[in-house]
Amino acid sequence: MKRSPELLRLADSVLLPGFEGRTPPDWLRRRLGEGLAGVVFFSRNVGTPSQLAELTAALRAERPDLVVGIDEETGDVTRLEAHTGSSRPGNYALGVVDDVSLTEEIARGLGADLAAAGINVDFAPAADVNSNPGNPVIGLRSFGADPALVARHTAAWVRGLQAAAVAACAKHFPGHGDTAVDSHHGLPGVAATLEQLHEVELLPFRAAIAEGVRMIMTGHLLVGAYDSEFPATLSPRILTGLLRDELGFDGVTITDAVEMAAVTERYGIGGGSARAIAAGADLICVGGENSDDAVVVTIREAIADAVTGGLLPEERLAEAARRVAELTVWTGSGPSAPVTSTSAGHPASAVRAAHGAAGLAAARRAIRVTRRAGVLPLVTAPHVAELSPQMNLAIDKDMPWGVGEPLSKLLPGTTVVRLDQESAGTSLDQAVLVPAADRPLVVVVRDAHRHAWQMAALDRLLGARPDGIVVEMGLPGRTDLGAVHIATHGAARVCGQAAAETLTGHLEAEI
């Protein structure tokens, strides 16, 4: 059968692509005018708040009711503040504090910022239970390893974000926490039994659904207890049988980035997209690494061909388009204001400042200190060595992080060196021990327990300098390292600030 213009338009209405640049390319303007569902923003699209508001206004000039999504988890995974580091700590830090009112406040402030920029969907919160500490892609993106804790903070995040008429999106269904493979690069397996899934992985998603979450994102996961053949994104048993029929979710289901290897290695980007819609997904997210018109054409034609070929019932495609349209109606019913507006009589700049203060306060509360040995507070400018591992693709590689910069403002004269795996293997003495010979030594790590080279570097440095201070800005696997061990539970800008305050005695952290 021939691809009719009507069928192609229907296929367009379930696509959410990314694009390059901070102004809309011509192809995107044209596609939006023809019925494309909307767009997803990445850090490459984001500059200042006013630029972002102008960008969304230009897109809405082509289609007023479009979906504008962004992957803004705060903390380590930020798009709004990828160039500066996040002014809000991430999920794990909030879970450590375990104050649901604080989590709701942080999410509400984020929702206000997103709404002011014209963004109506946020791909957050991560509702994954981080039950595998070696997980290469979730880690600090989770609220923690306790399902009940993750559930209550997931619900609080949904409440806060959706109070600003920004749709929350719980992810990565049915739970990416107990995996050992990054789905950007391969297909992770979830070995849990049905009983374990309902007691652990599914508990936060139930909480999100009960709270009225508007969107759920699928994980590219092989969940053998439900489907041993297809990953969740492509599985009718999981997206329809479990999510819709069993859990009762009636909102929009969106795929994780469909170009990820867990899908494309077997089905291709077009075939995977068509199978996802057939399985029960309503929106296809694409464009993190494939962001041009040719990709959109490939996917829309594959979806249309799946209808004409009998793989995808047209009524299923129409149902997906209807759910997306209903979502835009909901987001349009709540508060929305340009970035220059005021809130409750206060200038937008003051509102943003208040949100930033809440983020720093939360980061301070998340600090944990162990093994104090009389070396704090620092009164002499230290030498700081920051050991920088390769991060997963969800985290912008150029996002600033660390303790050195904020510490140098509190203790002028602080020196900083950053080492990767290669340089740490060859330069520890000259880059770290020699410059720190007559001053305090601070070693900053991220997920040290997951990287043998970081642990080897710590062994060498602390062996030579037992008075060395360790600042862990990832998941704290060991807290018995160094004369003092400081866990920030995140590498957001405010986490670095809170650690610097702790090092200099400006912050009395929990011991």
Short mmCIF file of all heavy atoms in Angstrom, two decimals, residues 258-315:
data_model
loop_
_atom_site.label_atom_id
_atom_site.label_comp_id
_atom_site.label_asym_id
_atom_site.label_seq_id
_atom_site.Cartn_x
_atom_site.Cartn_y
_atom_site.Cartn_z
N VAL A 258 15.66 6.58 20.96
CA VAL A 258 15.46 5.36 20.19
C VAL A 258 16.71 4.98 19.40
O VAL A 258 16.82 3.85 18.91
CB VAL A 258 14.24 5.51 19.26
CG1 VAL A 258 14.56 6.35 18.03
CG2 VAL A 258 13.65 4.16 18.88
N GLU A 259 17.68 5.90 19.27
CA GLU A 259 18.89 5.59 18.53
C GLU A 259 19.91 4.82 19.36
O GLU A 259 20.99 4.48 18.86
CB GLU A 259 19.53 6.86 17.96
CG GLU A 259 20.08 7.82 18.99
CD GLU A 259 19.13 8.96 19.28
OE1 GLU A 259 17.94 8.69 19.52
OE2 GLU A 259 19.57 10.11 19.27
N MET A 260 19.60 4.55 20.61
CA MET A 260 20.55 3.84 21.47
C MET A 260 20.76 2.42 20.98
O MET A 260 19.86 1.79 20.41
CB MET A 260 20.07 3.88 22.92
CG MET A 260 20.20 5.27 23.53
SD MET A 260 19.18 5.55 25.01
CE MET A 260 19.93 4.40 26.16
N ALA A 261 21.96 1.90 21.23
CA ALA A 261 22.35 0.61 20.66
C ALA A 261 21.44 -0.53 21.09
O ALA A 261 21.26 -1.50 20.33
CB ALA A 261 23.80 0.29 21.05
N ALA A 262 20.85 -0.44 22.28
CA ALA A 262 19.98 -1.52 22.76
C ALA A 262 18.81 -1.78 21.82
O ALA A 262 18.25 -2.88 21.80
CB ALA A 262 19.47 -1.18 24.15
N VAL A 263 18.43 -0.77 21.02
CA VAL A 263 17.33 -0.91 20.05
C VAL A 263 17.86 -1.04 18.63
O VAL A 263 17.48 -1.94 17.88
CB VAL A 263 16.36 0.29 20.15
CG1 VAL A 263 15.35 0.26 19.00
CG2 VAL A 263 15.63 0.27 21.49
N THR A 264 18.75 -0.14 18.25
CA THR A 264 19.12 -0.05 16.83
C THR A 264 19.99 -1.19 16.34
O THR A 264 19.97 -1.52 15.15
CB THR A 264 19.85 1.27 16.56
OG1 THR A 264 21.00 1.37 17.41
CG2 THR A 264 18.92 2.46 16.83
N GLU A 265 20.76 -1.83 17.23
CA GLU A 265 21.64 -2.89 16.76
C GLU A 265 20.86 -4.05 16.15
O GLU A 265 21.35 -4.74 15.26
CB GLU A 265 22.53 -3.39 17.92
CG GLU A 265 23.71 -2.48 18.21
CD GLU A 265 24.66 -3.08 19.22
OE1 GLU A 265 24.32 -4.12 19.82
OE2 GLU A 265 25.74 -2.51 19.41
N ARG A 266 19.64 -4.24 16.64
CA ARG A 266 18.84 -5.36 16.13
C ARG A 266 17.76 -4.92 15.14
O ARG A 266 17.50 -5.62 14.16
CB ARG A 266 18.19 -6.11 17.30
CG ARG A 266 17.39 -7.33 16.87
CD ARG A 266 16.89 -8.12 18.06
NE ARG A 266 16.07 -9.25 17.66
CZ ARG A 266 15.47 -10.08 18.51
NH1 ARG A 266 15.63 -9.91 19.83
NH2 ARG A 266 14.73 -11.07 18.08
N TYR A 267 17.16 -3.75 15.38
CA TYR A 267 15.98 -3.38 14.59
C TYR A 267 16.17 -2.14 13.73
O TYR A 267 15.31 -1.84 12.90
CB TYR A 267 14.78 -3.15 15.53
CG TYR A 267 14.44 -4.37 16.34
CD1 TYR A 267 14.83 -4.48 17.67
CD2 TYR A 267 13.75 -5.44 15.77
CE1 TYR A 267 14.52 -5.61 18.42
CE2 TYR A 267 13.45 -6.56 16.51
CZ TYR A 267 13.84 -6.65 17.84
OH TYR A 267 13.54 -7.77 18.57
N GLY A 268 17.26 -1.41 13.91
CA GLY A 268 17.43 -0.17 13.18
C GLY A 268 16.57 0.93 13.78
O GLY A 268 15.64 0.68 14.54
N ILE A 269 16.86 2.17 13.42
CA ILE A 269 16.16 3.29 14.04
C ILE A 269 14.70 3.38 13.58
O ILE A 269 13.80 3.71 14.36
CB ILE A 269 16.92 4.61 13.78
CG1 ILE A 269 16.47 5.69 14.76
CG2 ILE A 269 16.79 5.06 12.32
CD1 ILE A 269 17.40 6.88 14.80
N GLY A 270 14.44 3.05 12.31
CA GLY A 270 13.08 3.08 11.81
C GLY A 270 12.27 1.89 12.28
O GLY A 270 11.15 2.03 12.79
N GLY A 271 12.85 0.69 12.16
CA GLY A 271 12.14 -0.51 12.59
C GLY A 271 11.90 -0.52 14.09
O GLY A 271 10.82 -0.92 14.55
N GLY A 272 12.87 -0.05 14.87
CA GLY A 272 12.68 0.02 16.31
C GLY A 272 11.58 0.98 16.68
O GLY A 272 10.78 0.71 17.59
N SER A 273 11.49 2.11 15.99
CA SER A 273 10.45 3.11 16.28
C SER A 273 9.07 2.55 15.98
O SER A 273 8.12 2.71 16.77
CB SER A 273 10.70 4.37 15.45
OG SER A 273 11.93 4.97 15.78
N ALA A 274 8.93 1.89 14.86
CA ALA A 274 7.63 1.33 14.49
C ALA A 274 7.20 0.25 15.48
O ALA A 274 6.03 0.19 15.90
CB ALA A 274 7.70 0.75 13.08
N ARG A 275 8.14 -0.60 15.89
CA ARG A 275 7.81 -1.65 16.85
C ARG A 275 7.44 -1.06 18.21
O ARG A 275 6.60 -1.60 18.93
CB ARG A 275 8.99 -2.61 16.99
CG ARG A 275 9.16 -3.53 15.79
CD ARG A 275 10.37 -4.44 15.95
NE ARG A 275 10.47 -5.39 14.84
CZ ARG A 275 9.86 -6.55 14.76
NH1 ARG A 275 9.10 -6.94 15.77
NH2 ARG A 275 10.01 -7.33 13.71
N ALA A 276 8.09 0.05 18.58
CA ALA A 276 7.77 0.68 19.86
C ALA A 276 6.34 1.20 19.87
O ALA A 276 5.60 1.01 20.86
CB ALA A 276 8.75 1.82 20.14
N ILE A 277 5.91 1.86 18.81
CA ILE A 277 4.53 2.34 18.73
C ILE A 277 3.57 1.16 18.76
O ILE A 277 2.55 1.18 19.46
CB ILE A 277 4.31 3.18 17.47
CG1 ILE A 277 5.20 4.44 17.50
CG2 ILE A 277 2.85 3.59 17.34
CD1 ILE A 277 4.87 5.43 18.57
N ALA A 278 3.89 0.11 18.03
CA ALA A 278 3.03 -1.08 18.01
C ALA A 278 2.92 -1.70 19.40
O ALA A 278 1.86 -2.21 19.79
CB ALA A 278 3.56 -2.10 17.01
N ALA A 279 4.00 -1.63 20.18
CA ALA A 279 4.01 -2.25 21.51
C ALA A 279 3.21 -1.44 22.52
O ALA A 279 2.79 -1.99 23.55
CB ALA A 279 5.44 -2.40 22.00
N GLY A 280 3.00 -0.14 22.25
CA GLY A 280 2.24 0.68 23.19
C GLY A 280 2.83 2.04 23.49
O GLY A 280 2.24 2.82 24.24
N ALA A 281 4.00 2.36 22.93
CA ALA A 281 4.58 3.69 23.11
C ALA A 281 3.76 4.71 22.33
O ALA A 281 3.15 4.39 21.30
CB ALA A 281 6.03 3.71 22.65
N ASP A 282 3.75 5.96 22.82
CA ASP A 282 3.00 7.03 22.17
C ASP A 282 3.88 8.08 21.52
O ASP A 282 3.44 8.80 20.62
CB ASP A 282 2.09 7.73 23.18
CG ASP A 282 1.15 6.77 23.88
OD1 ASP A 282 0.46 6.00 23.18
OD2 ASP A 282 1.11 6.77 25.13
N LEU A 283 5.11 8.22 22.00
CA LEU A 283 6.05 9.20 21.46
C LEU A 283 7.41 8.55 21.25
O LEU A 283 7.87 7.77 22.10
CB LEU A 283 6.22 10.39 22.40
CG LEU A 283 5.35 11.64 22.20
CD1 LEU A 283 5.64 12.65 23.29
CD2 LEU A 283 5.57 12.26 20.83
N ILE A 284 8.06 8.88 20.16
CA ILE A 284 9.40 8.41 19.88
C ILE A 284 10.37 9.56 20.14
O ILE A 284 10.29 10.61 19.50
CB ILE A 284 9.54 7.95 18.41
CG1 ILE A 284 8.56 6.82 18.10
CG2 ILE A 284 10.97 7.53 18.12
CD1 ILE A 284 8.79 5.55 18.87
N CYS A 285 11.27 9.37 21.09
CA CYS A 285 12.30 10.37 21.39
C CYS A 285 13.55 10.03 20.59
O CYS A 285 14.04 8.90 20.64
CB CYS A 285 12.60 10.38 22.88
SG CYS A 285 13.87 11.57 23.37
N VAL A 286 14.06 10.99 19.85
CA VAL A 286 15.23 10.77 19.00
C VAL A 286 16.00 12.08 18.90
O VAL A 286 15.42 13.16 19.06
CB VAL A 286 14.81 10.26 17.59
CG1 VAL A 286 14.04 11.32 16.83
CG2 VAL A 286 16.01 9.79 16.80
N GLY A 287 17.29 11.99 18.63
CA GLY A 287 18.00 13.22 18.32
C GLY A 287 19.15 13.57 19.21
O GLY A 287 19.75 14.63 19.06
N GLY A 288 19.48 12.72 20.17
CA GLY A 288 20.66 13.00 20.96
C GLY A 288 21.90 12.98 20.09
O GLY A 288 22.75 13.86 20.17
N GLU A 289 21.98 11.98 19.22
CA GLU A 289 23.12 11.86 18.32
C GLU A 289 22.69 11.81 16.86
O GLU A 289 23.53 11.91 15.97
CB GLU A 289 23.91 10.59 18.68
CG GLU A 289 24.48 10.61 20.08
CD GLU A 289 25.18 9.32 20.44
OE1 GLU A 289 26.08 8.92 19.68
OE2 GLU A 289 24.83 8.72 21.46
N ASN A 290 21.42 11.67 16.59
CA ASN A 290 20.89 11.68 15.22
C ASN A 290 19.86 12.79 15.14
O ASN A 290 18.70 12.62 15.52
CB ASN A 290 20.23 10.33 14.89
CG ASN A 290 21.23 9.20 14.90
OD1 ASN A 290 21.82 8.85 13.88
ND2 ASN A 290 21.44 8.62 16.07
N SER A 291 20.27 13.95 14.63
CA SER A 291 19.44 15.14 14.79
C SER A 291 19.32 15.92 13.49
O SER A 291 19.76 17.06 13.40
CB SER A 291 20.02 16.04 15.88
OG SER A 291 21.40 16.27 15.65
N ASP A 292 18.77 15.30 12.47
CA ASP A 292 18.54 16.03 11.22
C ASP A 292 17.28 15.53 10.56
O ASP A 292 16.63 14.57 11.01
CB ASP A 292 19.74 15.91 10.28
CG ASP A 292 20.11 14.46 9.97
OD1 ASP A 292 19.20 13.62 9.85
OD2 ASP A 292 21.30 14.17 9.85
N ASP A 293 16.91 16.20 9.49
CA ASP A 293 15.66 15.89 8.80
C ASP A 293 15.64 14.46 8.26
O ASP A 293 14.60 13.80 8.25
CB ASP A 293 15.46 16.89 7.66
CG ASP A 293 14.06 16.82 7.05
OD1 ASP A 293 13.12 16.43 7.77
OD2 ASP A 293 13.91 17.17 5.87
N ALA A 294 16.80 13.97 7.83
CA ALA A 294 16.84 12.63 7.24
C ALA A 294 16.41 11.57 8.25
O ALA A 294 15.72 10.60 7.88
CB ALA A 294 18.25 12.33 6.73
N VAL A 295 16.77 11.74 9.51
CA VAL A 295 16.37 10.78 10.53
C VAL A 295 14.86 10.81 10.74
O VAL A 295 14.21 9.77 10.86
CB VAL A 295 17.11 11.07 11.85
CG1 VAL A 295 16.58 10.18 12.98
CG2 VAL A 295 18.60 10.86 11.68
N VAL A 296 14.30 12.02 10.78
CA VAL A 296 12.84 12.14 10.95
C VAL A 296 12.12 11.48 9.78
O VAL A 296 11.14 10.75 9.97
CB VAL A 296 12.44 13.62 11.07
CG1 VAL A 296 10.93 13.77 11.11
CG2 VAL A 296 13.05 14.24 12.32
N VAL A 297 12.61 11.70 8.58
CA VAL A 297 11.99 11.08 7.40
C VAL A 297 12.08 9.57 7.48
O VAL A 297 11.10 8.85 7.21
CB VAL A 297 12.66 11.60 6.11
CG1 VAL A 297 12.20 10.79 4.90
CG2 VAL A 297 12.36 13.08 5.90
N THR A 298 13.23 9.05 7.87
CA THR A 298 13.41 7.60 7.98
C THR A 298 12.40 7.00 8.96
O THR A 298 11.77 5.97 8.67
CB THR A 298 14.84 7.28 8.45
OG1 THR A 298 15.76 7.69 7.45
CG2 THR A 298 15.00 5.78 8.71
N ILE A 299 12.23 7.64 10.11
CA ILE A 299 11.34 7.09 11.12
C ILE A 299 9.88 7.21 10.70
O ILE A 299 9.10 6.25 10.84
CB ILE A 299 11.58 7.79 12.47
CG1 ILE A 299 12.99 7.48 12.98
CG2 ILE A 299 10.55 7.34 13.50
CD1 ILE A 299 13.36 8.21 14.25
N ARG A 300 9.49 8.38 10.20
CA ARG A 300 8.07 8.55 9.81
C ARG A 300 7.69 7.57 8.70
O ARG A 300 6.58 7.01 8.70
CB ARG A 300 7.79 10.00 9.41
CG ARG A 300 8.30 10.41 8.03
CD ARG A 300 8.34 11.91 7.84
NE ARG A 300 7.04 12.49 7.71
CZ ARG A 300 6.51 12.94 6.56
NH1 ARG A 300 7.18 12.79 5.42
NH2 ARG A 300 5.33 13.49 6.54
N GLU A 301 8.59 7.35 7.75
CA GLU A 301 8.30 6.41 6.66
C GLU A 301 8.26 4.98 7.18
O GLU A 301 7.41 4.17 6.73
CB GLU A 301 9.33 6.57 5.55
CG GLU A 301 9.18 7.88 4.79
CD GLU A 301 10.15 8.01 3.63
OE1 GLU A 301 11.06 7.14 3.51
OE2 GLU A 301 10.01 8.96 2.84
N ALA A 302 9.12 4.65 8.12
CA ALA A 302 9.10 3.30 8.69
C ALA A 302 7.80 3.05 9.45
O ALA A 302 7.22 1.95 9.39
CB ALA A 302 10.30 3.10 9.61
N ILE A 303 7.31 4.08 10.17
CA ILE A 303 6.04 3.94 10.89
C ILE A 303 4.89 3.79 9.90
O ILE A 303 4.01 2.92 10.07
CB ILE A 303 5.84 5.14 11.82
CG1 ILE A 303 6.84 5.08 12.98
CG2 ILE A 303 4.40 5.16 12.37
CD1 ILE A 303 6.81 6.29 13.88
N ALA A 304 4.89 4.60 8.87
CA ALA A 304 3.84 4.49 7.86
C ALA A 304 3.87 3.13 7.17
O ALA A 304 2.83 2.49 6.95
CB ALA A 304 3.99 5.61 6.83
N ASP A 305 5.07 2.65 6.85
CA ASP A 305 5.19 1.34 6.20
C ASP A 305 4.75 0.22 7.14
O ASP A 305 4.20 -0.80 6.68
CB ASP A 305 6.64 1.10 5.77
CG ASP A 305 7.06 1.98 4.60
OD1 ASP A 305 6.16 2.57 3.96
OD2 ASP A 305 8.27 2.09 4.35
N ALA A 306 4.96 0.39 8.43
CA ALA A 306 4.52 -0.63 9.39
C ALA A 306 3.00 -0.70 9.42
O ALA A 306 2.43 -1.78 9.63
CB ALA A 306 5.06 -0.31 10.78
N VAL A 307 2.34 0.43 9.21
CA VAL A 307 0.87 0.43 9.14
C VAL A 307 0.41 -0.28 7.87
O VAL A 307 -0.44 -1.18 7.91
CB VAL A 307 0.32 1.86 9.19
CG1 VAL A 307 -1.20 1.86 8.96
CG2 VAL A 307 0.63 2.51 10.54
N THR A 308 0.97 0.12 6.75
CA THR A 308 0.53 -0.49 5.48
C THR A 308 0.92 -1.96 5.40
O THR A 308 0.26 -2.75 4.73
CB THR A 308 1.12 0.28 4.29
OG1 THR A 308 2.55 0.26 4.37
CG2 THR A 308 0.64 1.71 4.29
N GLY A 309 1.98 -2.33 6.11
CA GLY A 309 2.44 -3.72 6.08
C GLY A 309 1.79 -4.61 7.11
O GLY A 309 2.05 -5.81 7.15
N GLY A 310 0.96 -4.04 7.99
CA GLY A 310 0.24 -4.83 8.96
C GLY A 310 0.91 -5.03 10.30
O GLY A 310 0.33 -5.64 11.20
N LEU A 311 2.14 -4.52 10.47
CA LEU A 311 2.82 -4.65 11.76
C LEU A 311 2.21 -3.74 12.81
O LEU A 311 2.12 -4.11 13.99
CB LEU A 311 4.31 -4.31 11.60
CG LEU A 311 5.15 -4.27 12.88
CD1 LEU A 311 5.27 -5.66 13.50
CD2 LEU A 311 6.55 -3.69 12.61
N LEU A 312 1.75 -2.56 12.40
CA LEU A 312 1.24 -1.55 13.31
C LEU A 312 -0.19 -1.18 12.92
O LEU A 312 -0.42 -0.57 11.87
CB LEU A 312 2.13 -0.30 13.25
CG LEU A 312 1.64 0.96 13.95
CD1 LEU A 312 1.44 0.73 15.44
CD2 LEU A 312 2.63 2.11 13.72
N PRO A 313 -1.19 -1.53 13.73
CA PRO A 313 -2.56 -1.15 13.41
C PRO A 313 -2.70 0.38 13.39
O PRO A 313 -2.18 1.08 14.26
CB PRO A 313 -3.38 -1.76 14.55
CG PRO A 313 -2.53 -2.86 15.10
CD PRO A 313 -1.11 -2.38 14.94
N GLU A 314 -3.41 0.89 12.40
CA GLU A 314 -3.56 2.34 12.29
C GLU A 314 -4.28 2.92 13.51
O GLU A 314 -3.98 4.03 13.95
CB GLU A 314 -4.32 2.71 11.02
CG GLU A 314 -4.38 4.22 10.78
CD GLU A 314 -4.91 4.57 9.41
OE1 GLU A 314 -5.11 3.66 8.58
OE2 GLU A 314 -5.11 5.78 9.15
N GLU A 315 -5.19 2.15 14.09
CA GLU A 315 -5.89 2.65 15.28
C GLU A 315 -4.94 2.78 16.47
O GLU A 315 -5.13 3.64 17.33
CB GLU A 315 -7.08 1.76 15.64
CG GLU A 315 -6.78 0.29 15.84
CD GLU A 315 -6.92 -0.52 14.56
OE1 GLU A 315 -6.78 0.05 13.46
OE2 GLU A 315 -7.17 -1.76 14.69
#
